[in-house]
Amino acid sequence: MGTRVKTGDLVIAGKSFSSRLFVGTGKFSSLADMKAAIENSGTEMVTVALRRVDIANPRDDLLAAIDRKKIQLLPNTSGARDAGEALRIAGLAREASGVDWLKLEITPDPYYLLPDPLETFKAAKQLVKEGFVVLPYVNADPILCRRLEEAGCAAVMPLGSPIGTNQGLRTRSGLEIIIEQCRCPVVVDAGIGLPSQAADAIEMGADAVLVNTALAVAENPAAMAEAFKLAVRAARLAVEAGPGETRRMAEASSPLTGFLG
Amino acid sequence: MSRPIPGRLLINGECREYGPGEAPTDLNDLVRSVGLEPATVVVELNGTIIKRGDYAACGLSDGDRVEIVRMVGGG
């Protein structure tokens, strides 16, 4: 796990988070479901997106449903297909949300929504210059993550599997190297479908996980949010407790002396 | 300063026509005219982001392109 801090709160850009579960607010069937999931998850960071208002049918204001005193907003640049579009969305999101934190997300491919590494790197450099706290969503590419860290990103957010697929940590070997090599916080984002997969990421040494679809599409989002909260907490406790080594051969748990004659 | 139109505004890709006296006089007025609270949205006028505090001083002209955006649920 390299130089990763094994105790205490997670700190990103000087801000402390006691919960290591970040929550996305998309795809919930109602604002009430979203609020209940946020509450039960214990999260202190939620992602939001920027969209054109449907003038014919404006819905309720999302931000009014989020307790900004307890929760850090992380606006994303979803919908951006290149660096130029991401910069435009970033400017609007900063104005709309009042925060300069940004999940930089550039996904030109509509089928797998995989992030474009070249455009992401280009946009990240510019956004850091403009004073944004940049958390880029990237494939689990260790070299790219290090380059983004050097460019001044506050954290990196490698994907476990494509967005919304609930496939879990399919990029495991890349994630392990990123966790080993990056000094900035590593947030495993996208594809986490079950609490066990979130726990797995944290036990691997990830600093946090970001979960959206798994909560939003659950039959009971509030209950699923609680399940994720407990899993992430348990896994983090285990990391701090210092797990024993994996061994190939058996080592007896019971004493090997004093057998009955 | 606001210039009176009759004319057209392109609001979120939708063309709206205004006769004499019908057009919104400034951005606050325009946002309210489509049923939204200015404090909950951000407006881009002809590609430039307008600070919320400047809405009242920002007049409109025939042919202006207005984008009204806000935060929604997203991952």
Side-chain angles (χ1 to χ4, degrees):
Chain A
M1 292 180 202
T3 55
R4 210 138 288 280
V5 178
K6 290 190 188 157
T7 55
D9 283 358
L10 167 61
V11 178
I12 301 176
K15 191 177 166 83
S16 223
F17 297 89
S18 55
S19 166
R20 289 167 181 273
L21 174 58
F22 301 161
V23 170
T25 58
K27 292 199 263 191
F28 285 93
S29 49
S30 68
L31 273 187
D33 272 359
M34 182 203 77
K35 277 180 82 164
I38 288 175
E39 180 70 30
N40 276 18
S41 72
T43 191
E44 294 160 335
M45 175 120 83
V46 302
T47 57
V48 290
L50 183 95
R51 289 291 179 276
R52 229 183 205 182
V53 182
D54 179 0
I55 300 291
N57 179 28
R59 297 197 193 152
D60 291 339
D61 180 27
L62 174 87
L63 294 189
I66 296 171
D67 183 353
R68 308 278 296 273
K69 282 188 222 89
K70 282 198 263 178
I71 292 174
Q72 170 72 46
L73 283 185
L74 181 61
N76 68 34
T77 60
S78 61
R81 289 159 300 179
D82 59 32
E85 290 183 357
L87 294 176
R88 180 184 177 203
I89 295 170
L92 287 164
R94 173 153 66 180
E95 191 64 21
S97 67
V99 300
D100 51 14
W101 289 53
L102 195 71
K103 172 180 165 180
L104 174 60
E105 179 177 353
I106 301 177
T107 55
D109 166 57
Y111 300 104
Y112 295 99
L113 295 174
L114 292 171
D116 183 324
L118 303 183
E119 293 295 311
T120 301
F121 185 69
K122 192 168 137 192
K125 281 197 297 188
Q126 181 61 29
L127 289 163
V128 166
K129 245 186 240 167
E130 292 180 16
F132 284 92
V133 174
V134 182
L135 292 81
Y137 167 64
V138 289
N139 213 317
D141 178 339
I143 307 294
L144 176 63
C145 285
R146 288 177 69 183
R147 295 289 300 270
L148 287 163
E149 178 181 17
E150 286 160 15
C153 289
V156 289
M157 305 218 290
L159 60 92
S161 47
I163 294 172
T165 60
N166 293 333
Q167 291 179 30
L169 308 181
R170 300 283 290 268
T171 58
R172 173 178 298 275
S173 56
L175 292 174
E176 285 170 348
I177 298 170
I178 293 165
I179 289 165
E180 178 193 322
Q181 294 188 333
C182 274
R183 279 183 296 266
C184 70
V186 177
V187 182
V188 176
D189 181 4
I192 293 179
L194 288 169
S196 57
Q197 295 161 354
D200 193 3
I202 298 291
E203 285 171 5
M204 279 165 64
D207 295 279
V209 292
L210 172 51
V211 179
N212 186 348
T213 299
L215 308 184
V217 306
E219 274 181 43
N220 184 339
M224 189 60 85
E226 184 170 13
F228 269 92
K229 173 176 77 178
L230 296 173
V232 168
R233 263 203 205 149
R236 181 60 194 179
L237 268 176
V239 169
E240 292 183 7
E245 279 175 22
T246 306
R247 307 172 71 99
R248 198 175 71 82
M249 295 183 75
E251 190 182 2
S253 308
S254 308
L256 290 177
T257 55
F259 288 115
L260 299 182
Chain B
M1 280 311 295
S2 68
R3 274 176 281 163
I5 42 177
R8 292 176 180 176
L9 296 176
L10 194 64
I11 305 173
N12 287 10
E14 188 185 304
C15 186
R16 294 208 173 186
E17 301 220 16
Y18 299 93
E22 291 174 0
T25 52
D26 59 42
L27 280 185
N28 271 335
D29 198 16
L30 181 146
V31 170
R32 292 206 179 94
S33 77
V34 295
L36 294 164
E37 257 314 297
T40 67
V41 300
V42 169
V43 178
E44 214 182 42
L45 180 60
N46 300 323
T48 304
I49 301 170
I50 309 297
K51 300 260 175 212
R52 227 169 252 151
D54 297 337
Y55 288 0
C58 195
L60 296 156
S61 307
D62 186 20
D64 278 348
R65 284 176 295 114
V66 181
E67 285 285 338
I68 307 175
V69 301
R70 68 175 168 190
M71 302 319 296
V72 300

